[in-house]
Amino acid sequence: MNKIVLLFLVFSIVWAVPQKVQAALLDGMFDGIEESLAESLEKKGEKLTTGNFYTDDKPNAHGPIGMMGEHTHEPGEVMFSYRFTHMFMEGTRYGTNNVSDAGVVMPRRPAPSGYIVVPESMRMLMHMFGFMYGWNETVTLTAMVPYLTTSMNHRTRMGGTFTTRSKGIGDIRFGSLWRLWAVEAPSIGAHRFHLNVAISVPTGDIEPTDRTPLGPNSRLPYPMHLGSGTFDLYPGMTYGGEMGRASWGLQAIGTLRIGRNSNGFSKGNAYTVNALGACEVIKNLLSGSVRLSWNHWNAYDGLDPNIRQRHPRNNMRLVQTAFPELLSGQRLDVLFGVNVLFPDFLGLENRLAMEGGMPIYQYLDGQLETDSIVTFGWQALY
Ligand SMILES: [Cu+2]
């Protein structure tokens, strides 16, 4: 019951509260800055434009496809998108060091060693269906539905191997983007700011099961879960700049868990900071991008008592992924992307994009390290 009330509240804030405001939220807040800017531009014979969030016919008018909520829409615009993401993890990392599989299962003390099983690699595939709608001059509404497929390969101390799998719908996310402020002129380029507000609903499975050496229906450890089990808030802020063929951007988004889930734990809070630069390589057709993505996530609070940590007979520690206090980390990814904008077809603007990269810095507490992330995407605008 509480969850229904909470859900209603959040929907009101994220989706319903947006009134018919016909301007960027902070219009008029920076009159002083705008006036002095306009004055100095006038001396160069230029005119300052405020409140324009629209970029015409540019492949880099949208950010790299691996990013979310980096662009807003004009009133009445509808966009559907499909993304396919492949993430590959291999090898265990303690701090910034790699530890061999043999090192993880070595029966010596203290940690990092002494597990019965070591995960060798993990693959995560995600299909993400997205929807965006420009409600008015200020607010763009968003919705995202992910479908996940994961698999993890393990090796036991005795040398045996086994694979566990989980798949299903993830946590559905509803959000809104609020235009704050925008200025532009030929010599200073365009500078746009918007607010990101989103909430996810715990639709993803936090009790996936599969066959393991413990039995045919063992509850799988935390990295195989398809959702967080909690309602999560994603507050953030995005800045986008543009001048000639170049564009750039900065975005910070937090992940805040509300309470604990039905199994008595919560994933850690997290935040992401993205910095990107892009260039229109072929006019109105193709752009390239480079993005740095900093990710920081805290360890879990609490644990699921039905996820076995120790062997029922000899009480030895089973596997690192069953210890949620070790699931924190930091990662800096570098990603290269391409956006292609197709000419209008049947009134639809179609875009194809790809982005891929790898971490250049990674700090983990004895967990599988990420090796590569690749995203393909299609966006159709009406
Ligand atoms: Cu869009």
Side-chain angles (χ1 to χ4, degrees), residues 62 70-73 77-81 131-133 140 142 177 379 381:
H62 288 193
E70 84 310 330
H71 66 265
T72 58
H73 284 284
E77 259 178 18
V78 177
M79 187 186 93
F80 289 97
S81 65
F131 168 77
M132 295 178 87
Y133 172 63
T140 296
T142 65
L177 311 174
Q379 299 171 322
L381 248 126

Coordinates of all heavy atoms in Angstrom, one line a residue, residues 62 70-73 77-81 131-133 140 142 177 379 381, ligand 1:
H62 N 22.0 15.2 -30.9 CA 21.9 14.3 -29.9 C 23.2 13.9 -29.4 O 24.2 13.8 -30.1 CB 21.1 13.0 -30.4 CG 19.7 13.3 -30.7 ND1 18.8 12.2 -30.9 CD2 19.0 14.4 -30.7 CE1 17.6 12.8 -31.1 NE2 17.7 14.1 -31.0
E70 N 20.2 13.5 -22.5 CA 21.2 14.5 -22.8 C 20.6 15.5 -23.8 O 21.2 16.6 -24.0 CB 22.5 13.9 -23.3 CG 22.6 13.5 -24.8 CD 21.4 12.7 -25.4 OE1 20.8 11.9 -24.6 OE2 21.2 12.8 -26.6
H71 N 19.5 15.3 -24.4 CA 18.8 16.3 -25.2 C 17.3 16.4 -24.8 O 16.7 15.5 -24.3 CB 18.9 15.9 -26.7 CG 18.2 14.6 -27.1 ND1 18.7 13.4 -27.1 CD2 16.8 14.4 -27.4 CE1 17.8 12.5 -27.4 NE2 16.7 13.1 -27.6
T72 N 16.7 17.5 -25.1 CA 15.3 17.8 -24.8 C 14.6 17.9 -26.2 O 15.2 17.9 -27.2 CB 15.1 19.0 -24.0 OG1 15.7 20.2 -24.8 CG2 15.8 19.0 -22.7
H73 N 13.2 17.9 -26.1 CA 12.5 18.0 -27.4 C 11.6 19.2 -27.4 O 11.2 19.8 -26.4 CB 11.6 16.7 -27.6 CG 12.4 15.5 -28.0 ND1 12.8 15.4 -29.3 CD2 12.9 14.5 -27.3 CE1 13.6 14.3 -29.4 NE2 13.6 13.7 -28.2
E77 N 6.9 17.1 -30.2 CA 7.8 16.1 -30.8 C 7.7 14.8 -30.0 O 7.7 14.7 -28.8 CB 9.3 16.6 -30.7 CG 9.7 17.1 -32.0 CD 11.2 17.6 -32.0 OE1 11.9 17.3 -31.0 OE2 11.5 18.4 -32.8
V78 N 7.7 13.7 -30.7 CA 7.7 12.3 -30.1 C 8.9 11.6 -30.6 O 9.3 11.6 -31.8 CB 6.5 11.5 -30.5 CG1 6.5 10.1 -30.0 CG2 5.2 12.3 -30.1
M79 N 9.6 10.9 -29.8 CA 10.8 10.1 -30.2 C 10.7 8.7 -29.6 O 10.5 8.5 -28.4 CB 12.1 10.7 -29.8 CG 13.3 10.0 -30.3 SD 14.9 10.7 -29.7 CE 15.2 9.6 -28.3
F80 N 10.9 7.7 -30.5 CA 11.0 6.3 -30.0 C 12.5 5.9 -30.2 O 13.1 6.3 -31.2 CB 10.1 5.4 -30.8 CG 8.7 5.5 -30.5 CD1 7.9 6.3 -31.3 CD2 8.1 4.9 -29.3 CE1 6.5 6.5 -31.0 CE2 6.8 5.1 -29.0 CZ 6.0 5.9 -29.8
S81 N 13.0 5.1 -29.3 CA 14.4 4.6 -29.5 C 14.5 3.2 -29.1 O 13.8 2.7 -28.2 CB 15.3 5.5 -28.7 OG 15.1 5.4 -27.3
F131 N 11.2 6.2 -24.9 CA 10.1 7.1 -25.4 C 10.4 8.4 -24.9 O 10.7 8.6 -23.7 CB 8.8 6.5 -24.9 CG 7.6 7.5 -25.1 CD1 7.1 7.7 -26.4 CD2 7.1 8.3 -24.1 CE1 6.1 8.6 -26.6 CE2 6.1 9.1 -24.3 CZ 5.6 9.3 -25.5
M132 N 10.3 9.5 -25.7 CA 10.5 10.8 -25.3 C 9.3 11.7 -25.9 O 8.9 11.4 -27.0 CB 11.8 11.4 -25.7 CG 13.0 10.8 -25.0 SD 14.6 11.5 -25.6 CE 14.8 12.9 -24.5
Y133 N 8.8 12.6 -25.2 CA 7.8 13.5 -25.7 C 7.9 14.9 -25.2 O 8.0 15.1 -24.0 CB 6.4 12.9 -25.2 CG 5.2 13.8 -25.5 CD1 4.9 14.1 -26.8 CD2 4.5 14.3 -24.5 CE1 3.8 14.9 -27.1 CE2 3.4 15.1 -24.8 CZ 3.1 15.4 -26.1 OH 2.0 16.2 -26.3
T140 N 10.2 17.9 -21.1 CA 10.2 16.7 -22.0 C 10.0 15.5 -21.1 O 10.7 15.3 -20.1 CB 11.5 16.6 -22.7 OG1 11.7 17.7 -23.6 CG2 11.6 15.3 -23.5
T142 N 10.0 11.4 -20.4 CA 10.7 10.2 -20.9 C 10.3 8.9 -20.2 O 9.8 9.0 -19.1 CB 12.3 10.4 -20.6 OG1 12.5 10.3 -19.2 CG2 12.8 11.6 -21.2
L177 N 12.6 16.0 -18.2 CA 13.8 16.9 -18.4 C 13.2 18.3 -18.4 O 12.2 18.6 -19.1 CB 14.4 16.6 -19.8 CG 14.8 15.1 -20.0 CD1 15.3 15.0 -21.5 CD2 15.8 14.6 -19.0
Q379 N 17.0 5.8 -33.3 CA 16.1 6.7 -32.8 C 15.2 7.2 -34.0 O 15.7 7.5 -35.0 CB 16.8 7.9 -32.2 CG 17.7 7.5 -31.0 CD 18.6 8.7 -30.6 OE1 19.1 9.5 -31.4 NE2 18.8 8.8 -29.3
L381 N 12.2 10.1 -34.8 CA 11.6 11.3 -34.3 C 10.4 11.6 -35.2 O 10.5 11.6 -36.4 CB 12.6 12.4 -34.4 CG 13.1 13.0 -33.1 CD1 14.6 12.9 -33.2 CD2 12.7 14.4 -33.0
Ligands
CU1 CU 14.9 12.2 -27.8

